[in-house]
Amino acid sequence: MSITVNLYYKGEGGSAKEFAREMEESGIAAQIRQEEGNLRYEYFFPMDDPETVLLIDQWTNQAALDYHHKSPMMAEIAALREKYKLRLKVERYVEEKR
């Protein structure tokens, strides 16, 4: 079972892209990619909405995702979200093995 979370960061004046850029340049995104259980952590930019950034965040299981949510990086991410005044929409998908 893997868990994929799509996070849509929406801002104004290019703030969502600036947020993603800072996540990458600060090394926070790279640290998350190194966490045990992380399968994917990638940013995408919708062509029809320049004020939104999509983050695809995938984990091996709920325990890995829970550990990530308790990590100190979550406070850093929250501070950056606030800095850029972003709104957030979340979609969650669970892939079950058959």
XYZ file of all heavy atoms in Angstrom:
812
model
N 0.843 -1.176 0.000
C 0.000 0.000 0.000
C 0.888 1.238 0.000
O 1.821 1.347 0.783
C -0.880 0.003 1.250
C -1.629 1.313 1.437
S -2.566 1.429 2.967
C -1.287 1.846 4.115
N 0.610 2.154 -0.903
C 1.282 3.448 -0.857
C 0.226 4.543 -0.756
O -0.933 4.331 -1.096
C 2.177 3.662 -2.080
O 1.399 3.800 -3.240
N 0.657 5.684 -0.268
C -0.244 6.821 -0.088
C 0.303 7.987 -0.897
O 1.480 8.343 -0.758
C -0.351 7.213 1.397
C -0.938 6.042 2.180
C -1.190 8.475 1.566
C -0.845 6.209 3.673
N -0.549 8.551 -1.730
C -0.181 9.729 -2.512
C -1.046 10.888 -2.063
O -2.267 10.761 -1.978
C -0.371 9.481 -4.016
O 0.430 8.368 -4.401
C 0.034 10.711 -4.833
N -0.388 12.003 -1.780
C -1.095 13.208 -1.364
C -0.785 14.290 -2.392
O 0.390 14.590 -2.638
C -0.662 13.659 0.050
C -1.459 14.873 0.488
C -0.820 12.515 1.051
N -1.838 14.817 -3.004
C -1.682 15.957 -3.909
C -2.015 17.213 -3.120
O -3.116 17.341 -2.596
C -2.621 15.844 -5.109
C -2.234 14.725 -6.048
O -1.154 14.169 -5.954
N -3.112 14.396 -6.965
N -1.045 18.112 -3.042
C -1.249 19.379 -2.327
C -1.213 20.511 -3.351
O -0.224 20.661 -4.073
C -0.160 19.588 -1.282
C -0.150 18.532 -0.182
C 1.005 17.584 -0.374
C -0.075 19.190 1.158
N -2.280 21.281 -3.391
C -2.367 22.424 -4.293
C -2.133 23.686 -3.472
O -2.938 24.030 -2.620
C -3.747 22.489 -4.950
C -4.051 21.302 -5.830
C -4.600 20.136 -5.295
C -3.785 21.346 -7.195
C -4.881 19.051 -6.099
C -4.067 20.255 -8.007
C -4.616 19.116 -7.456
O -4.890 18.032 -8.249
N -1.012 24.341 -3.724
C -0.690 25.595 -3.056
C -1.125 26.730 -3.980
O -0.691 26.794 -5.128
C 0.820 25.708 -2.804
C 1.342 24.722 -1.804
C 1.965 23.548 -2.204
C 1.221 24.972 -0.450
C 2.461 22.655 -1.268
C 1.712 24.080 0.498
C 2.329 22.923 0.072
O 2.824 22.036 1.001
N -1.980 27.602 -3.475
C -2.485 28.708 -4.287
C -2.163 30.023 -3.599
O -2.391 30.175 -2.403
C -3.982 28.579 -4.492
C -4.531 29.630 -5.443
C -5.759 29.114 -6.142
C -6.266 30.115 -7.134
N -5.811 29.886 -8.480
N -1.637 30.971 -4.382
C -1.296 32.281 -3.848
C -1.620 33.366 -4.849
O -2.444 33.172 -5.740
N -0.922 34.483 -4.700
C -1.107 35.610 -5.616
C 0.253 36.175 -5.986
O 1.203 36.129 -5.194
C -1.952 36.694 -4.948
C -3.372 36.258 -4.666
C -4.191 37.338 -3.973
O -3.719 38.486 -3.857
O -5.304 37.009 -3.540
N 0.338 36.720 -7.195
C 1.563 37.380 -7.627
C 2.778 36.473 -7.724
O 3.901 36.926 -7.509
N 2.552 35.204 -8.017
C 3.666 34.265 -8.150
C 4.172 33.693 -6.834
O 5.200 33.023 -6.801
N 3.430 33.933 -5.744
C 3.918 33.488 -4.431
C 4.009 31.963 -4.301
O 4.905 31.459 -3.612
C 3.043 34.057 -3.313
O 1.715 33.593 -3.423
N 3.132 31.228 -4.960
C 3.187 29.766 -4.867
C 4.471 29.235 -5.509
O 5.131 28.340 -4.965
C 1.956 29.138 -5.503
N 4.848 29.806 -6.647
C 6.097 29.385 -7.291
C 7.302 29.786 -6.450
O 8.278 29.045 -6.373
C 6.190 29.969 -8.692
C 5.268 29.284 -9.670
C 5.433 29.821 -11.070
C 4.479 29.087 -12.001
N 4.543 29.607 -13.371
N 7.241 30.947 -5.815
C 8.330 31.373 -4.940
C 8.468 30.430 -3.747
O 9.572 30.121 -3.309
C 8.127 32.812 -4.476
C 8.375 33.829 -5.562
C 9.795 33.763 -6.112
O 10.752 33.672 -5.324
O 9.938 33.787 -7.355
N 7.334 29.985 -3.211
C 7.332 29.005 -2.118
C 8.051 27.730 -2.563
O 8.951 27.235 -1.869
C 5.893 28.698 -1.702
C 5.735 27.458 -0.876
C 6.002 27.476 0.484
C 5.318 26.265 -1.454
C 5.862 26.327 1.255
C 5.164 25.122 -0.689
C 5.441 25.152 0.661
N 7.665 27.189 -3.726
C 8.283 25.956 -4.225
C 9.777 26.171 -4.461
O 10.593 25.305 -4.119
C 7.588 25.505 -5.506
N 10.138 27.311 -5.004
C 11.551 27.620 -5.252
C 12.320 27.638 -3.927
O 13.405 27.062 -3.819
C 11.682 28.963 -5.966
C 13.113 29.294 -6.344
C 13.216 30.546 -7.200
N 12.632 30.276 -8.522
C 11.535 30.878 -9.003
N 10.924 31.801 -8.312
N 11.083 30.570 -10.190
N 11.754 28.276 -2.905
C 12.437 28.331 -1.614
C 12.522 26.950 -0.957
O 13.527 26.619 -0.319
C 11.765 29.335 -0.672
C 12.573 29.557 0.580
C 12.196 30.776 1.391
O 11.519 31.688 0.862
O 12.590 30.831 2.569
N 11.486 26.141 -1.120
C 11.534 24.766 -0.590
C 12.709 24.004 -1.202
O 13.411 23.270 -0.503
C 10.221 24.034 -0.887
C 9.058 24.465 -0.025
S 9.192 23.882 1.677
C 9.020 22.112 1.454
N 12.917 24.183 -2.496
C 14.020 23.499 -3.173
C 15.372 24.105 -2.796
O 16.296 23.385 -2.435
C 13.821 23.562 -4.698
C 12.664 22.726 -5.200
C 12.878 21.232 -5.046
O 14.027 20.761 -4.892
O 11.862 20.507 -5.090
N 15.486 25.425 -2.872
C 16.780 26.073 -2.631
C 17.236 25.977 -1.178
O 18.441 25.939 -0.914
C 16.717 27.534 -3.080
C 16.630 27.673 -4.586
C 16.483 29.100 -5.071
O 16.405 30.033 -4.236
O 16.434 29.284 -6.298
N 16.301 25.917 -0.247
C 16.662 25.816 1.168
C 17.103 24.408 1.558
O 17.679 24.205 2.620
C 15.469 26.217 2.040
O 14.438 25.235 1.951
N 16.798 23.438 0.713
C 17.141 22.051 1.013
C 16.062 21.291 1.760
O 16.207 20.092 2.014
N 14.963 21.960 2.100
C 13.881 21.265 2.818
C 13.322 20.136 1.965
O 13.141 19.012 2.446
C 12.766 22.239 3.240
C 13.302 23.257 4.250
C 11.572 21.480 3.828
C 12.337 24.390 4.566
N 13.055 20.403 0.694
C 12.502 19.361 -0.185
C 13.461 18.180 -0.293
O 13.037 17.024 -0.242
C 12.182 19.946 -1.556
N 14.744 18.465 -0.416
C 15.741 17.383 -0.507
C 15.761 16.544 0.770
O 15.887 15.314 0.714
C 17.123 17.969 -0.784
N 15.626 17.191 1.922
C 15.586 16.457 3.191
C 14.370 15.542 3.243
O 14.458 14.406 3.721
C 15.544 17.427 4.360
C 16.826 18.186 4.580
C 16.669 19.220 5.691
O 15.837 19.086 6.576
N 17.457 20.279 5.617
N 13.242 16.036 2.775
C 12.022 15.221 2.787
C 12.197 14.017 1.874
O 11.800 12.897 2.229
C 10.806 16.066 2.377
C 10.536 17.119 3.464
C 9.574 15.187 2.140
C 9.554 18.202 3.057
N 12.809 14.222 0.723
C 13.037 13.110 -0.212
C 13.925 12.026 0.394
O 13.853 10.871 -0.014
C 13.654 13.630 -1.506
C 12.697 14.464 -2.316
C 13.337 14.949 -3.628
N 12.441 15.877 -4.261
C 12.686 17.188 -4.396
N 13.832 17.699 -3.968
N 11.791 17.969 -4.967
N 14.741 12.395 1.377
C 15.634 11.433 2.025
C 14.989 10.709 3.206
O 15.562 9.756 3.734
C 16.912 12.142 2.498
C 17.741 12.710 1.361
C 18.154 11.638 0.373
O 18.646 10.577 0.743
N 17.937 11.902 -0.908
N 13.806 11.159 3.619
C 13.144 10.514 4.748
C 12.754 9.080 4.386
O 12.361 8.808 3.249
C 11.882 11.280 5.143
C 12.164 12.564 5.865
C 10.880 13.223 6.340
O 10.144 13.771 5.504
O 10.629 13.186 7.546
N 12.875 8.211 5.373
C 12.496 6.823 5.153
C 11.023 6.750 4.771
O 10.167 7.345 5.424
C 12.741 6.002 6.421
C 12.522 4.538 6.203
C 12.927 3.710 7.403
O 13.760 4.162 8.199
O 12.372 2.601 7.531
N 10.743 6.048 3.696
C 9.363 5.852 3.252
C 8.901 6.838 2.202
O 7.826 6.668 1.624
N 9.695 7.862 1.901
C 9.277 8.806 0.861
C 9.568 8.209 -0.506
O 10.672 7.753 -0.776
C 9.991 10.154 1.007
C 9.497 11.141 -0.036
O 10.113 11.296 -1.078
N 8.391 11.773 0.256
N 8.563 8.207 -1.357
C 8.705 7.680 -2.711
C 8.771 8.788 -3.759
O 9.358 8.602 -4.823
C 7.530 6.755 -3.038
C 7.371 5.534 -2.143
C 6.067 4.811 -2.451
C 8.569 4.598 -2.318
N 8.131 9.919 -3.450
C 8.073 11.006 -4.431
C 7.750 12.311 -3.721
O 6.897 12.344 -2.835
C 6.987 10.694 -5.456
C 6.898 11.667 -6.589
C 5.854 11.207 -7.581
N 5.939 12.000 -8.789
C 5.087 11.925 -9.777
N 4.078 11.077 -9.722
N 5.222 12.689 -10.832
N 8.421 13.364 -4.141
C 8.164 14.704 -3.612
C 8.538 15.661 -4.731
O 9.690 16.055 -4.872
C 9.013 14.950 -2.360
C 8.542 16.124 -1.531
C 7.575 15.950 -0.548
C 9.058 17.396 -1.738
C 7.138 17.022 0.220
C 8.635 18.464 -0.967
C 7.677 18.269 0.001
O 7.251 19.330 0.763
N 7.551 15.991 -5.582
C 7.814 16.783 -6.779
C 6.783 17.882 -6.948
O 5.589 17.665 -6.732
C 7.755 15.906 -8.027
C 8.873 14.910 -8.151
C 8.768 14.154 -9.454
O 9.330 14.640 -10.455
O 8.115 13.103 -9.470
N 7.265 19.032 -7.400
C 6.403 20.176 -7.676
C 6.103 20.274 -9.168
O 6.989 20.020 -9.998
C 7.080 21.483 -7.235
C 7.221 21.600 -5.745
C 8.419 21.307 -5.112
C 6.145 21.991 -4.961
C 8.547 21.413 -3.738
C 6.268 22.095 -3.581
C 7.469 21.810 -2.985
O 7.583 21.913 -1.629
N 4.859 20.657 -9.473
C 4.423 20.854 -10.853
C 3.651 22.167 -10.942
O 3.039 22.594 -9.963
C 3.512 19.696 -11.311
C 4.232 18.384 -11.354
C 4.285 17.567 -10.234
C 4.871 17.972 -12.510
C 4.966 16.358 -10.265
C 5.555 16.762 -12.557
C 5.593 15.955 -11.430
N 3.664 22.766 -12.127
C 3.010 24.046 -12.341
C 1.944 23.888 -13.422
O 2.283 23.688 -14.593
C 4.040 25.100 -12.760
C 5.200 25.191 -11.796
C 6.420 24.608 -12.088
C 5.054 25.829 -10.583
C 7.479 24.679 -11.202
C 6.104 25.912 -9.679
C 7.317 25.327 -9.993
N 0.657 23.989 -13.062
C -0.406 23.876 -14.064
C -0.290 24.981 -15.120
O -0.096 26.148 -14.777
C -1.693 24.042 -13.250
C -1.296 23.748 -11.832
C 0.132 24.165 -11.712
N -0.402 24.619 -16.364
C -0.277 25.591 -17.447
C -1.419 26.597 -17.455
O -1.237 27.735 -17.861
C -0.198 24.870 -18.787
C 1.101 24.103 -18.942
S 1.232 23.221 -20.504
C 1.250 24.580 -21.657
N -2.594 26.190 -16.985
C -3.761 27.071 -17.062
C -4.008 27.869 -15.777
O -4.999 28.580 -15.679
C -4.997 26.270 -17.429
C -5.363 25.236 -16.370
O -4.508 24.913 -15.515
O -6.500 24.740 -16.400
N -3.106 27.747 -14.794
C -3.287 28.455 -13.521
C -1.924 28.872 -12.966
O -1.311 28.136 -12.186
C -4.029 27.566 -12.527
C -4.339 28.281 -11.225
O -3.914 29.442 -11.050
O -5.004 27.678 -10.369
N -1.439 30.052 -13.334
C -0.104 30.463 -12.915
C 0.035 30.752 -11.422
O 1.144 30.937 -10.933
C 0.143 31.744 -13.735
C -1.215 32.254 -14.054
C -2.098 31.045 -14.177
N -1.061 30.757 -10.686
C -1.003 31.056 -9.251
C -1.083 29.806 -8.376
O -1.212 29.894 -7.162
C -2.112 32.039 -8.868
C -1.996 33.381 -9.555
C -0.676 34.106 -9.293
O -0.014 33.847 -8.268
O -0.298 34.941 -10.128
N -1.017 28.625 -9.003
C -1.100 27.367 -8.256
C 0.124 26.508 -8.530
O 0.629 26.466 -9.644
C -2.374 26.590 -8.645
O -3.506 27.367 -8.268
C -2.453 25.237 -7.961
N 0.579 25.831 -7.487
C 1.636 24.831 -7.584
C 1.070 23.533 -7.035
O 0.418 23.520 -5.988
C 2.878 25.253 -6.772
C 3.875 24.115 -6.668
C 3.527 26.472 -7.397
N 1.302 22.450 -7.745
C 0.890 21.123 -7.293
C 2.110 20.385 -6.765
O 3.126 20.286 -7.449
C 0.280 20.332 -8.454
C 0.108 18.826 -8.247
C -0.860 18.527 -7.105
C -0.335 18.159 -9.534
N 1.998 19.880 -5.551
C 3.021 19.007 -4.981
C 2.459 17.598 -4.946
O 1.378 17.370 -4.387
C 3.376 19.443 -3.553
C 4.225 18.454 -2.748
C 5.594 18.243 -3.381
C 4.349 18.909 -1.308
N 3.167 16.663 -5.564
C 2.814 15.249 -5.456
C 3.765 14.640 -4.435
O 4.980 14.644 -4.614
C 2.895 14.532 -6.809
C 1.910 15.181 -7.793
C 2.609 13.036 -6.637
C 1.939 14.603 -9.182
N 3.194 14.157 -3.358
C 3.919 13.667 -2.190
C 3.490 12.224 -1.962
O 2.328 11.974 -1.650
C 3.533 14.567 -1.012
C 4.351 14.350 0.233
O 5.422 13.728 0.155
O 3.905 14.818 1.295
N 4.404 11.267 -2.135
C 4.026 9.853 -2.043
C 4.884 9.138 -1.001
O 6.101 9.340 -0.931
C 4.186 9.182 -3.407
C 3.657 7.765 -3.440
C 3.727 7.180 -4.828
O 4.586 7.531 -5.628
N 2.828 6.272 -5.125
N 4.212 8.282 -0.229
C 4.847 7.566 0.883
C 4.528 6.080 0.808
O 3.492 5.694 0.279
C 4.360 8.152 2.210
C 4.759 9.585 2.319
C 4.077 10.662 1.831
C 5.961 10.091 2.880
N 4.786 11.815 2.069
C 5.945 11.489 2.720
C 7.043 9.513 3.522
C 6.977 12.308 3.165
C 8.065 10.325 3.977
C 8.026 11.703 3.795
N 5.412 5.268 1.379
C 5.219 3.817 1.334
C 4.017 3.362 2.143
O 3.351 2.389 1.777
C 6.465 3.069 1.857
O 6.789 3.576 3.159
C 7.635 3.231 0.914
N 3.746 4.066 3.259
C 2.629 3.653 4.117
C 2.250 4.794 5.065
O 2.918 5.829 5.110
C 2.987 2.384 4.903
C 4.257 2.547 5.708
O 4.498 3.572 6.339
N 5.091 1.509 5.693
N 1.202 4.587 5.837
C 0.708 5.618 6.750
C 1.717 5.936 7.852
O 1.862 7.083 8.265
C -0.626 5.186 7.367
C -1.282 6.252 8.213
C -1.643 7.495 7.418
O -2.276 7.401 6.378
N -1.253 8.669 7.900
N 2.437 4.930 8.321
C 3.420 5.159 9.387
C 4.512 6.130 8.923
O 4.918 7.023 9.668
C 4.036 3.841 9.844
N 4.985 5.970 7.694
C 6.013 6.880 7.156
C 5.458 8.291 7.026
O 6.140 9.270 7.361
C 6.511 6.376 5.805
N 4.227 8.412 6.565
C 3.593 9.724 6.435
C 3.383 10.364 7.806
O 3.647 11.560 7.991
C 2.270 9.601 5.685
C 1.505 10.887 5.417
C 2.347 11.898 4.651
C 0.229 10.579 4.657
N 2.955 9.579 8.784
C 2.764 10.093 10.143
C 4.090 10.593 10.726
O 4.136 11.653 11.360
C 2.182 9.018 11.065
C 0.735 8.686 10.750
O 0.067 9.467 10.032
O 0.269 7.639 11.232
N 5.154 9.843 10.511
C 6.474 10.242 11.007
C 6.874 11.578 10.377
O 7.373 12.475 11.051
C 7.505 9.154 10.704
C 8.876 9.492 11.212
C 9.213 9.275 12.542
C 9.827 10.044 10.370
C 10.470 9.593 13.028
C 11.086 10.377 10.845
C 11.404 10.153 12.179
O 12.648 10.481 12.642
N 6.653 11.703 9.079
C 6.962 12.953 8.373
C 6.168 14.117 8.965
O 6.704 15.194 9.187
C 6.661 12.797 6.884
C 6.654 14.084 6.134
N 7.778 14.853 5.968
C 5.648 14.741 5.509
C 7.467 15.929 5.270
N 6.181 15.895 4.981
N 4.884 13.891 9.228
C 4.038 14.964 9.763
C 4.467 15.403 11.162
O 4.175 16.525 11.573
C 2.571 14.535 9.774
C 1.963 14.588 8.414
N 0.859 13.849 8.067
C 2.289 15.296 7.297
C 0.557 14.105 6.807
N 1.404 14.969 6.322
N 5.175 14.550 11.884
C 5.658 14.898 13.227
C 7.072 15.482 13.208
O 7.580 15.897 14.246
C 5.634 13.657 14.121
C 4.232 13.166 14.413
C 4.250 11.892 15.220
C 2.837 11.365 15.405
N 2.807 10.053 16.022
N 7.687 15.544 12.034
C 9.075 15.998 11.948
C 9.168 17.519 12.088
O 8.203 18.240 11.811
C 9.687 15.561 10.606
O 9.182 16.363 9.552
N 10.336 18.014 12.491
C 10.542 19.464 12.615
C 10.360 20.209 11.292
O 10.054 21.395 11.283
C 11.986 19.582 13.105
C 12.317 18.253 13.688
C 11.483 17.247 12.954
N 10.521 19.514 10.180
C 10.359 20.160 8.877
C 8.942 20.682 8.663
O 8.743 21.642 7.921
C 10.722 19.201 7.755
C 12.204 19.104 7.530
S 12.600 17.952 6.226
C 12.640 16.427 7.156
N 7.974 20.069 9.310
C 6.584 20.523 9.131
C 6.417 21.960 9.631
O 5.683 22.743 9.024
C 5.609 19.582 9.838
C 5.502 18.215 9.183
S 5.125 18.262 7.411
C 3.488 18.936 7.430
N 7.102 22.324 10.693
C 7.033 23.706 11.187
C 7.681 24.656 10.185
O 7.179 25.768 9.964
C 7.713 23.812 12.547
N 8.770 24.223 9.568
C 9.428 25.046 8.549
C 8.511 25.242 7.338
O 8.414 26.354 6.800
C 10.743 24.408 8.107
C 11.792 24.349 9.198
C 13.052 23.669 8.731
O 13.673 24.167 7.767
O 13.407 22.635 9.312
N 7.851 24.171 6.928
C 6.934 24.257 5.788
C 5.766 25.181 6.126
O 5.380 26.031 5.314
C 6.428 22.851 5.390
C 7.586 21.998 4.880
C 5.327 22.962 4.334
C 7.259 20.533 4.752
N 5.218 25.050 7.321
C 4.101 25.907 7.742
C 4.522 27.373 7.762
O 3.759 28.251 7.337
C 3.587 25.476 9.108
N 5.732 27.644 8.223
C 6.220 29.028 8.260
C 6.363 29.592 6.850
O 6.012 30.755 6.598
C 7.551 29.090 8.997
N 6.848 28.774 5.924
C 6.960 29.235 4.541
C 5.588 29.449 3.911
O 5.388 30.403 3.162
C 7.774 28.252 3.702
C 9.274 28.262 3.896
C 9.941 27.209 3.033
C 9.842 29.634 3.585
N 4.658 28.554 4.204
C 3.283 28.730 3.688
C 2.700 30.049 4.167
O 2.072 30.781 3.402
C 2.398 27.576 4.156
C 1.977 26.670 3.060
C 0.927 25.651 3.386
N 0.376 25.600 4.701
C 0.513 24.591 5.544
N 1.207 23.535 5.213
N -0.044 24.627 6.720
N 2.942 30.370 5.420
C 2.453 31.626 5.989
C 3.179 32.816 5.365
O 2.567 33.821 5.026
C 2.630 31.622 7.504
C 1.988 32.810 8.174
C 2.038 32.692 9.681
O 1.757 31.596 10.216
O 2.361 33.704 10.324
N 4.482 32.698 5.209
C 5.289 33.769 4.612
C 4.740 34.156 3.234
O 4.652 35.335 2.907
C 6.744 33.301 4.472
C 7.633 34.243 3.702
C 9.039 33.667 3.559
C 9.922 34.544 2.688
N 11.278 33.966 2.555
N 4.356 33.158 2.451
C 3.872 33.405 1.098
C 2.347 33.520 1.014
O 1.803 33.632 -0.070
C 4.396 32.319 0.149
C 5.883 32.442 -0.086
C 6.778 31.579 0.531
C 6.391 33.452 -0.887
C 8.153 31.709 0.328
C 7.756 33.584 -1.096
C 8.619 32.708 -0.484
O 9.984 32.844 -0.692
N 1.687 33.467 2.153
C 0.225 33.635 2.233
C -0.510 32.682 1.279
O -1.339 33.091 0.472
C -0.160 35.083 1.941
C 0.393 36.066 2.955
C 0.043 37.491 2.585
C 0.471 38.495 3.604
N 1.859 38.572 3.935
N -0.207 31.418 1.416
C -0.778 30.409 0.526
C -2.002 29.742 1.124
O -2.082 29.518 2.328
C 0.275 29.340 0.214
C 1.541 29.838 -0.472
C 2.516 28.694 -0.667
C 1.225 30.513 -1.792
N -2.920 29.413 0.262
C -4.065 28.579 0.613
C -3.732 27.166 0.145
O -2.962 26.971 -0.787
C -5.332 29.092 -0.070
C -5.723 30.481 0.423
C -6.969 31.022 -0.263
N -6.951 31.004 -1.711
C -6.337 31.894 -2.494
N -5.634 32.878 -1.959
N -6.407 31.811 -3.806
N -4.334 26.195 0.787
C -3.971 24.805 0.525
C -5.213 23.960 0.306
O -6.191 24.064 1.046
C -3.179 24.269 1.727
C -2.568 22.894 1.647
C -1.538 22.810 0.536
C -1.902 22.560 2.978
N -5.158 23.130 -0.730
C -6.190 22.126 -0.975
C -5.467 20.776 -1.035
O -4.407 20.664 -1.651
C -6.896 22.397 -2.305
C -7.896 21.336 -2.697
C -8.490 21.627 -4.069
C -9.183 20.407 -4.602
N -9.498 20.537 -6.020
N -6.033 19.776 -0.379
C -5.369 18.475 -0.279
C -6.273 17.373 -0.819
O -7.467 17.325 -0.521
C -5.010 18.163 1.199
C -4.357 16.798 1.316
C -4.123 19.250 1.780
N -5.677 16.486 -1.608
C -6.339 15.257 -2.076
C -5.466 14.096 -1.645
O -4.235 14.168 -1.734
C -6.460 15.241 -3.593
C -7.267 16.355 -4.174
C -7.193 16.420 -5.688
O -6.260 15.841 -6.284
O -8.072 17.068 -6.267
N -6.096 13.023 -1.199
C -5.344 11.866 -0.696
C -5.819 10.614 -1.420
O -7.014 10.370 -1.547
C -5.602 11.745 0.811
C -4.962 10.548 1.457
C -5.420 10.509 2.917
N -5.216 9.223 3.481
C -4.164 8.918 4.233
N -3.282 9.808 4.545
N -4.038 7.704 4.714
N -4.853 9.808 -1.861
C -5.157 8.575 -2.583
C -4.367 7.430 -1.940
O -3.175 7.563 -1.684
C -4.760 8.685 -4.055
C -5.440 9.835 -4.742
C -4.805 11.071 -4.843
C -6.713 9.712 -5.256
C -5.427 12.151 -5.465
C -7.347 10.781 -5.873
C -6.702 12.000 -5.966
O -7.305 13.058 -6.571
N -5.049 6.323 -1.698
C -4.401 5.143 -1.122
C -4.429 4.020 -2.164
O -5.495 3.668 -2.666
C -5.119 4.680 0.168
C -4.481 3.417 0.714
C -5.110 5.799 1.199
N -3.261 3.502 -2.477
C -3.157 2.399 -3.405
C -3.082 1.119 -2.580
O -2.192 0.962 -1.744
C -1.899 2.535 -4.261
C -1.727 1.394 -5.236
C -0.428 1.513 -6.018
O 0.147 2.615 -6.069
O 0.006 0.492 -6.567
N -4.018 0.245 -2.805
C -4.048 -1.015 -2.067
C -3.573 -2.141 -2.954
O -3.888 -2.191 -4.136
C -5.456 -1.287 -1.563
C -5.928 -0.256 -0.572
C -7.295 -0.568 -0.006
O -7.764 -1.705 -0.138
O -7.888 0.342 0.562
N -2.781 -3.029 -2.368
C -2.313 -4.207 -3.119
C -3.434 -5.236 -3.168
O -4.162 -5.422 -2.210
C -1.085 -4.789 -2.454
C 0.058 -3.806 -2.441
C 1.348 -4.524 -2.390
C 2.409 -3.448 -2.296
N 3.459 -3.596 -3.203
N -3.528 -5.891 -4.272
C -4.573 -6.928 -4.445
C -3.957 -8.283 -4.576
O -2.927 -8.506 -4.984
C -5.418 -6.625 -5.683
C -6.176 -5.366 -5.505
C -6.944 -5.061 -6.745
N -7.579 -3.769 -6.548
C -8.747 -3.465 -7.023
N -9.432 -4.325 -7.710
N -9.263 -2.292 -6.820
